[in-house]
């Protein structure tokens, strides 16, 4: 066993454990402290070497016994070892897996699609009719944005050149958003971090920018359509680039990644290998589950002839087995000589299905996806997947906040300008949940919210303006009330003011003087004691009667 030379310090004595053992005096009591420590260290080192070569060692959660070919000594076993050399840097392996393994491809593509497919809910003062044009423009870019996210999940990072007309021919200059021509086309040219893209070492130092501490310039390898010079390198300012990144890692590794993220393959690679190995082993096991035995007289001599290279023995054995197979039929009838014997052994594959199911669960856990989205199966019915879908929706929302928000913060203002709209000062947005409610559930929610708002406004505990705002807030979930505009809120505010004026008018009404008129009898004293209470009842009755008539 190769051993590295290690140094340690014990009582200020430097020792190399690979040094030869020092000679000890005959009387050990006369040995110096240094000699005793070196001798003890050498004995410990030798014991360690013997234990590794003759016994079982533990390494990264794996076991090993070289004599019995168990653990990591099994050449057919992929042991669980972890390395600092990340597979994110192995671009060709990632591409081969993406093209050859349907499970890995679905993990990459499905999450990227779900992150963009349900869109966003923009919150601003822009007229809903004009805002609808912004949604349409964003939807047209949906496929290009999904592609950028797929490349980022594959390779850890990608970049999209925002191709929009702002009147500037030199792309190395900042994008002038105020000069963007209304209704001009907008497209994205996307490439992954490895192919056709270079980044500058100069970083964005403006801490107010969404691109702070990222490369200031990107060089894209573009095809300009010229037959003589089919490609060109284009230097682009960071304000014209959408930067797609995937999972983050520790700061030390981020420097190695040059600010990009990790490939999605990084944390599922060994689980994916184990899953593939299990599937291949299962196929091999099924093929060997039926063992047929034909006992033929003189087989030992025939095998000896085969070992000596006797072509006649080989031809004889091949012809005999071919004849048996040629006359085998669907009724499981085998023709052999009466002196020969035929036997068959069947291997029971109990538990194999449970092992395969367990591997599928591990893959789904590593990918942070429900099994039904990866394998397309609903073994226990759709109802059992409801909880998984809720957790998956929360996972997607977390990824959107971490990875998509920075992209939309840059892209949305550009889309507003392309549509000829001013960028709202209160521009904000939420990501729509991928866990859609059933239509019946939406109707019930609408009825419940509308009923609660109506009850509170009738009781005078909520204004109509506040009730309308509450209804609009639920529109992101139910879809009802999405077209409420500023004029609707203003109308509700006017109705609240009118109701307030009517209440003040009723409360100030003169119900008559307390002085008796001529010819009227003087009321008795005991009838005037409850005057204040009677007045209050009259006022309330008139007020509510008036409201009912309206």
């Amino acid at each position: 066993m190769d051993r590295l030379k290690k140094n340690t310090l014990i009582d200020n004595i430097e020792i190399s454990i690979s040094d030869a053992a020092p000679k000890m005096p005959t009387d050990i009591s006369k040995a110096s402290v240094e000699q005793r420590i070196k001798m003890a260290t050498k004995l410990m080192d030798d014991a360690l070497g013997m234990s590794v070569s003759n016994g079982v060692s533990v390494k990264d959660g794996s076991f090993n016994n070289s004599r019995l070919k168990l653990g990591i000594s099994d050449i057919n076993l992929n042991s669980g070892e972890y390395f600092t050399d990340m597979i994110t840097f192995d671009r060709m392996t990632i591409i081969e897996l993406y093209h050859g393994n349907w499970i890995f491809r679905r993990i990459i593509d499905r999450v990227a699609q779900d992150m963009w497919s349900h869109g966003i809910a923009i919150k601003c003062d822009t007229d809903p009719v004009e805002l609808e044009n912004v949604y349409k423009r964003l939807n047209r870019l949906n496929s290009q944005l999904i592609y950028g996210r797929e490349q980022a999940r594959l390779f850890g990072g990608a970049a999209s050149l925002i191709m929009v007309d702002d009147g500037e021919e030199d792309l190395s200059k900042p994008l002038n958003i105020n000069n963007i021509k209304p209704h001009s086309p907008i497209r994205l040219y996307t490439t992954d971090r490895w192919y056709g893209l270079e980044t500058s070492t100069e970083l964005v130092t403006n801490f107010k920018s969404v691109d702070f501490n990222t490369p200031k310039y990107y060089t894209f390898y573009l095809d300009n359509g010229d037959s003589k010079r089919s490609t060109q390198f284009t230097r682009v300012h960071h304000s014209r680039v959408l930067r797609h990144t995937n999972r983050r890692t520790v700061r030390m590794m981020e420097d190695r990644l040059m600010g990009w993220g990790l490939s999605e393959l990084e944390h599922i690679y060994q689980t994916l290998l184990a899953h593939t190995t299990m599937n291949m082993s299962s196929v091999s096991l099924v093929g060997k589950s039926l063992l047929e035995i034909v006992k033929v007289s003189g087989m030992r001599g025939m095998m000896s002839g085969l070992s000596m290279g006797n072509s006649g023995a080989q031809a004889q054995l091949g012809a005999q087995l071919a004849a048996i197979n040629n006359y085998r039929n669907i009724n499981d009838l085998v023709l052999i000589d009466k002196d020969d014997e035929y036997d068959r052994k069947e291997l029971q594959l109990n538990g194999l299905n449970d092992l395969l199911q367990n591997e599928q669960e591990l893959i789904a856990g590593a990918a942070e996806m429900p099994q039904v989205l990866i394998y397309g199966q609903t073994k226990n019915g759709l109802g059992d997947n409801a909880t998984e879908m809720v957790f998956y929706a929360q996972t997607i929302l977390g990824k959107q906040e971490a990875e998509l928000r920075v992209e939309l913060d840059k892209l949305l203002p550009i889309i507003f300008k392309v549509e000829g709209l001013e960028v709202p000062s209160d521009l904000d947005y939420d990501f729509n949940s991928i866990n859609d409610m059933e239509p019946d559930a939406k109707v019930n929610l609408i009825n419940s919210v509308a009923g609660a708002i109506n009850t509170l406004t009738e009781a005078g505990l909520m204004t109509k303006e506040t009730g309308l705002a509450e209804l609009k807030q639920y529109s992101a979930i139910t879809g009802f009330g999405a077209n409420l505009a500023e004029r609707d809120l203003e109308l509700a505010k006017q109705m609240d003011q009118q109701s307030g004026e009517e209440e003040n008018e009723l409360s100030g009404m003169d119900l008559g003087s307390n002085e008796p008129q001529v010819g009227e009898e003087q009321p008795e004293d005991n009838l005037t004691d409850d005057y204040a209470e009677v007045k209050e009842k009259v006022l309330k009755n008139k007020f509510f009667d008036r409201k009912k008539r309206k």
Side-chain angles (χ1 to χ4, degrees), residues 11 16 36 171 173 196 198 208 248 325 334 346 355 360 366-367 385 398 409 448 452 458 506 514 517:
D11 293 335
S16 175
R36 293 182 183 182
L171 299 184
K173 294 182 179 180
E198 293 182 4
K208 297 180 182 180
R248 295 190 63 182
N325 285 325
V334 179
E346 294 185 11
L355 287 175
Q360 292 182 1
N385 298 315
D409 286 346
S448 299
E458 287 292 334
L506 289 174
N514 292 334
Q517 300 295 325

Side-chain angles (χ1 to χ4, degrees), residues 323-476:
I324 293 175
N325 285 325
N326 288 338
Y327 291 97
R328 183 195 299 267
N329 59 32
I330 60 175
N331 295 321
D332 202 17
L333 178 65
V334 179
L335 298 177
I336 58 176
D337 190 84
K338 68 175 183 177
D339 295 329
D340 297 339
E341 296 182 18
Y342 174 82
D343 193 11
R344 59 190 296 171
K345 305 290 184 181
E346 294 185 11
L347 178 64
Q348 299 297 325
L349 303 179
N350 297 329
L352 180 60
N353 183 63
D354 294 335
L355 287 175
L356 294 175
Q357 179 64 30
N358 183 63
E359 285 297 322
Q360 292 182 1
E361 293 174 356
L362 291 176
I363 287 290
E368 301 175 306
M369 296 175 63
Q371 291 188 61
V372 66
L373 296 184
I374 300 178
Y375 301 99
Q377 62 180 7
T378 55
K379 182 178 180 181
N380 299 322
L382 290 173
D384 292 340
N385 298 315
T387 304
E388 293 183 5
M389 291 303 297
V390 171
F391 281 110
Y392 178 63
Q394 293 297 323
T395 301
I396 292 296
L397 180 60
K399 292 179 180 293
Q400 289 170 329
E401 291 289 345
E403 299 165 5
L404 300 190
R405 185 166 290 274
V406 65
E407 300 177 22
L408 285 170
D409 286 346
K410 179 184 288 189
L411 184 61
L412 275 181
I414 297 176
I415 294 179
F416 269 86
K417 284 295 185 179
V418 167
E419 292 300 322
L421 303 173
E422 291 297 324
V423 181
S425 58
D426 60 341
L427 178 60
D428 196 9
Y429 55 90
D430 291 324
F431 293 99
N432 295 328
S433 175
I434 65 171
N435 192 23
D436 290 332
M437 296 178 63
E438 295 295 331
D440 292 341
K442 286 185 178 182
V443 172
N444 293 334
L445 181 59
I446 292 172
N447 291 333
S448 299
V449 172
I453 292 175
N454 183 64
T455 301
L456 292 174
T457 52
E458 287 292 334
L461 300 177
M462 177 187 291
T463 64
K464 291 182 175 61
E465 182 181 8
T466 304
L468 206 61
E470 289 291 330
L471 189 62
K472 187 175 182 179
Q473 183 177 356
Y474 277 92
S475 65

Side-chain angles (χ1 to χ4, degrees), residues 85-91 94 193-194 256-257 266:
D85 292 333
M86 297 180 291
I87 200 170
T88 299
F89 296 104
D90 191 353
R91 179 164 56 99
I94 295 174
R193 58 161 297 192
W194 295 114
R256 289 186 60 189
L257 293 167
E266 193 70 52

